Amino acid sequence: MQCLLWLLLSLWILCLFWTRSEGQLIRIPMQYQASFMASRRQHRAGRTSLLAKYNVVGGPEITSRDNLGATETLDNRLNLEYAGPISIGSPGQPFNMLFDTGSANLWVPSADCSSKNLACQHHHRYNSSASSSYVPDGRRFAIAYGTGSLSGRLAQDTVAIGQLVVRNQTFGMAMHEPGSTFVDTNFAGIVGLGFRAIAEQRIKPLFENMCDQHLVDECIFSFYLKRNGSERMGGELLFGGVDKSKFSGTLTYVPLTHAGYWQFPMDGIELGGRIISQNRQAIADTGTSLLAAPPREYLIINSLLGGLPTSNNEYLLNCAEINKLPEIVFIIGGQRFPLQPRDYVMSAANDDGSVICLSAFTLMEAEFWILGDVFIGRYYTAFDVGHRRIGFAPAA
Ligand SMILES: *[C@@H]1O[C@H](CO)[C@@H](O)[C@H](O)[C@H]1NC(C)=O
Ligand SMILES: *[C@@H]1O[C@H](CO)[C@@H](O)[C@H](O)[C@H]1NC(C)=O
Ligand SMILES: *[C@@H]1O[C@H](CO)[C@@H](O)[C@H](O)[C@H]1NC(C)=O
């Protein structure tokens, strides 16, 4: 099984190298687990990991009210994610990675991790002894997740993404991966696409090295995520520009509030002709599937949708009535970005196999919004590093 996976990934990376680039645009195909119906617990897991990521205390349901749910939650896989290939070292060792704009470090499992660490054992591991371009760093690193700390040592090596070869990239070799959060993920590690200001130990992120080493004409990357994609055709991450064939109209750009997270000002949100949120900060995060709202908006939106609250801060919606729900309009840079019910209603499987409908508007005990794949899937997103701005346009 392991051998087969190796072979498939190697072939895939080989194919990537054969695909000719146009100018300096590098296309990374994204995998999407289309046939995968998330269980209710997995939805909760997504939320729990989101809260941990932004260091937000999740409220009572995480500490006591639903201990069972919370524990199981953390033990479940988080593979509602899009992943794509990179290779590290010389010769290149292939890895399938989560490209996450909500964090800024790169890490992969280490060949030296304990045989008892399942997450590490289940994925490709980086073997520094097998790479002629490896440079030891010596420093330890740790990243906090909901289930505990991911830890190991830092290394420096060459990282290839498509035809782009980034030299001297510092990254984490994970010796310990917490709980079973990462055991069954379709990715081995994470490529953080946030800015250096939020990186552990202020390590220079991959795209910053890419730009400094003049590997791309324009210091910009863009995401096209298919909401109904497949494992082979889940969308595309493009380094070096935007692909006009993947969106309609023009991109609406707004300047970033800070170059840390991909954080920008959002004018407001409209539901049924009513403005229900005004002048909030929002963060574009490809590493989550959800739309996380501040408490007030979370309550208003879900009540207006006629949702039935559960003890887990979820809102159940009537699957038979989805088509009657209103569109919800995000107003950004003076432009309207509507989401339809088919965009913001998520289906999930109960333990007995029955399917329920959940609102994608989840609770963030903070006064900002997180816009995950529900939004980025509907709106092509340009992450303009050079101009410190973010742009959105309707995805084709
Ligand atoms: C790492 O690579 C070296 C050199 O190819 C090899 O001798 C060693 O067994 C590998 N280690 C692991 C854990 O795979
Ligand atoms: C990488 O590091 C080596 C050794 O410090 C240096 O000679 C080389 O110029 C660096 N390459 C790039 C592209 O920064
Ligand atoms: C998603 O794709 C599947 C298979 O290609 C198709 O049967 C289904 O109708 C699609 N759903 C939507 C909402 O487009």
Side-chain angles (χ1 to χ4, degrees):
M1 188 62 185
Q2 196 89 334
C3 287
L4 188 67
L5 285 175
W6 261 104
L7 189 70
L8 284 176
L9 253 175
S10 313
L11 279 175
W12 187 7
I13 296 217
L14 210 62
C15 286
L16 275 182
F17 277 91
W18 275 332
T19 319
R20 287 304 309 152
S21 68
E22 22 177 295
Q24 303 270 51
L25 293 180
I26 304 298
R27 296 168 189 282
I28 310 298
M30 295 281 108
Q31 285 178 292
Y32 180 61
Q33 308 226 332
S35 57
F36 171 75
M37 164 82 78
S39 75
R40 209 163 167 185
R41 285 200 199 92
Q42 282 156 342
H43 275 285
R44 275 179 220 156
R47 174 164 182 270
T48 309
S49 74
L50 186 65
L51 296 176
K53 186 173 185 178
Y54 290 96
N55 283 318
V56 171
V57 179
E61 89 285 4
I62 283 185
T63 49
S64 61
R65 206 186 302 166
D66 185 13
N67 256 331
L68 182 68
T71 319
E72 283 169 349
T73 285
L74 299 171
D75 283 345
N76 267 289
R77 54 192 186 158
L78 307 175
N79 52 0
L80 293 166
E81 316 286 1
Y82 295 82
I86 67 169
S87 79
I88 305 183
S90 317
Q93 302 174 30
F95 296 93
N96 206 26
M97 303 292 278
L98 170 69
F99 289 91
D100 177 21
T101 60
S103 66
N105 288 88
L106 195 169
W107 65 262
V108 287
S110 161
D112 297 326
C113 71
S114 150
S115 59
K116 294 200 184 81
N117 198 263
L118 284 181
C120 189
Q121 295 298 330
H122 278 200
H123 292 109
H124 294 170
R125 285 159 284 156
Y126 169 73
N127 183 347
S128 57
S129 313
S131 170
S132 61
S133 44
Y134 163 68
V135 179
D137 180 291
R139 283 176 291 170
R140 292 175 184 283
F141 89 100
I143 300 173
Y145 286 97
T147 36
S149 237
L150 179 113
S151 59
R153 290 206 178 270
L154 294 177
Q156 195 183 295
D157 209 333
T158 299
V159 176
I161 308 192
Q163 300 95 318
L164 285 180
V165 179
V166 181
R167 314 266 173 210
N168 303 351
Q169 176 66 45
T170 301
F171 61 95
M173 302 183 282
M175 301 284 289
H176 176 79
E177 298 183 40
S180 23
T181 310
F182 299 105
V183 173
D184 286 330
T185 54
N186 65 341
F187 55 87
I190 296 180
V191 177
L193 294 171
F195 291 87
R196 195 172 186 167
I198 60 162
E200 289 296 326
Q201 304 191 38
R202 296 290 181 271
I203 294 162
K204 204 194 255 194
L206 185 71
F207 72 70
E208 211 179 298
N209 271 324
M210 211 182 265
C211 299
D212 290 355
Q213 294 175 20
H214 308 292
L215 302 177
V216 281
D217 286 340
E218 268 189 286
C219 197
I220 182 170
F221 58 88
S222 6
F223 273 88
Y224 169 62
L225 301 179
K226 283 193 183 169
R227 295 306 288 162
N228 193 17
S230 67
E231 209 166 310
R232 290 174 142 262
M233 289 286 295
E236 197 169 83
L237 162 56
L238 188 71
F239 283 102
V242 298
D243 181 345
K244 291 194 170 68
S245 73
K246 298 278 196 306
F247 59 88
S248 55
T250 53
L251 287 156
T252 298
Y253 279 105
V254 283
L256 297 182
T257 315
H258 296 295
Y261 290 108
W262 283 90
Q263 182 186 341
F264 58 94
M266 184 160 72
D267 303 339
I269 293 178
E270 194 188 287
L271 196 165
R274 229 176 107 185
I275 296 287
I276 49 111
S277 177
Q278 248 181 321
N279 299 323
R280 289 289 200 187
Q281 293 289 305
I283 292 171
D285 183 354
T286 57
T288 181
S289 52
L290 305 165
L291 295 167
R296 201 183 68 90
E297 285 95 323
Y298 165 77
L299 280 176
I300 295 178
I301 292 178
N302 285 307
S303 312
L304 288 175
L305 295 180
L308 193 68
T310 73
S311 59
N312 295 300
N313 281 330
E314 290 165 340
Y315 271 86
L316 288 174
L317 300 170
N318 182 349
C319 293
E321 308 256 288
I322 298 301
N323 290 335
K324 295 184 189 149
L325 292 175
E327 67 173 19
I328 299 181
V329 185
F330 289 70
I331 304 165
I332 299 166
Q335 297 295 315
R336 298 166 65 82
F337 296 91
L339 290 185
Q340 306 302 330
R342 64 170 176 275
D343 301 320
Y344 65 73
V345 177
M346 307 179 89
S347 26
N350 267 323
D351 286 342
D352 63 9
S354 59
V355 173
I356 53 166
C357 289
L358 292 173
S359 160
F361 292 90
T362 188
L363 177 64
M364 190 80 179
E365 298 275 5
E367 300 304 312
F368 54 86
W369 279 82
I370 306 287
L371 305 186
D373 302 336
V374 164
F375 190 84
I376 295 167
R378 181 71 186 80
Y379 294 102
Y380 186 93
T381 307
F383 296 84
D384 190 341
V385 180
H387 297 100
R388 299 282 191 268
R389 61 181 186 165
I390 189 163
F392 302 100

